[in-house]
Amino acid sequence: MEYTEVEQKFRLLSPAAELRERLTALGAAPGRPTRQVDTYYNAPHRDFLDNEVVSEWLRVRVEDGAASLNFKRFHPIAAPVKTHCDEYESAVTDAEAVRRLLGSLDFAELTVVDKTREEWHADGIAVAFDTVAGLGDFVEFEYKGDAPTVTQATVRLEAFIAALGVELGDRVHLGYPHMTLGLE
């Protein structure tokens, strides 16, 4: 499932200590926390915000001196609850040059998402603890294993989350840019 992302996000309403303890019991360990500053853009040829449900994002991410360009298209396109997305991402050597390039091509900056992320890995799942400026604390579970279909990846992801036996906050069906733009 190269270029396909299957993830679920939850708002953390209480400290994440219990979830971290369960992950540790599974043999997972935290990675080094990083700061990710994501700048989202709108395309001049197709307004990403023009649909009732936003299903596409173009982003430039700067993280610890490195940068990447990323495009996501969420599926099903018109559905308010998405099951997965196509994701195309590539490292870039000069984030400012990419920003200027996009501006020169009339791409408009939409929003900036500034977050600190601590990522854990267990059983083919990436678990990311995010603290997002102006939005609060979240946890994302992303399937990283091999599955032949989105449905099978989703089943494995949901089984992993359920097996943790930890009460999570409300499931969030929107991305951080949706929330910073008030598209909830």
Side-chain angles (χ1 to χ4, degrees), residues 22 57 78 87 89 97 114 124-125 128 136 140 144 163 177:
R22 290 292 297 134
W57 291 120
E87 181 176 34
E89 184 166 26
D114 189 344
I125 308 291
E140 287 185 357
K144 296 285 193 175

Side-chain angles (χ1 to χ4, degrees), residues 157-169:
L157 184 64
E158 289 173 347
F160 176 85
I161 294 168
L164 290 171
V166 175
E167 188 172 337
L168 300 169

Side-chain angles (χ1 to χ4, degrees), residues 75-168:
H75 300 282
I77 295 285
V81 176
K82 309 299 186 182
T83 59
H84 65 287
C85 72
D86 301 325
E87 181 176 34
Y88 310 107
E89 184 166 26
S90 185
V92 297
T93 58
D94 188 339
E96 184 57 29
V98 172
R99 286 187 198 99
R100 289 174 183 253
L101 178 148
L102 292 171
S104 295
L105 294 172
D106 296 326
F107 282 75
E109 184 178 312
L110 288 172
T111 190
V112 175
V113 175
D114 189 344
K115 70 179 174 280
T116 302
R117 171 168 280 185
E118 177 187 274
E119 193 165 284
W120 298 58
H121 293 269
D123 297 331
I125 308 291
V127 182
F129 293 91
D130 291 338
T131 299
V132 184
L135 296 178
D137 295 322
F138 300 83
V139 62
E140 287 185 357
F141 298 89
E142 182 178 347
Y143 184 76
K144 296 285 193 175
D146 289 325
T149 67
V150 168
T151 300
Q152 289 174 328
T154 302
V155 166
R156 292 179 187 170
L157 184 64
E158 289 173 347
F160 176 85
I161 294 168
L164 290 171
V166 175
E167 188 172 337
L168 300 169

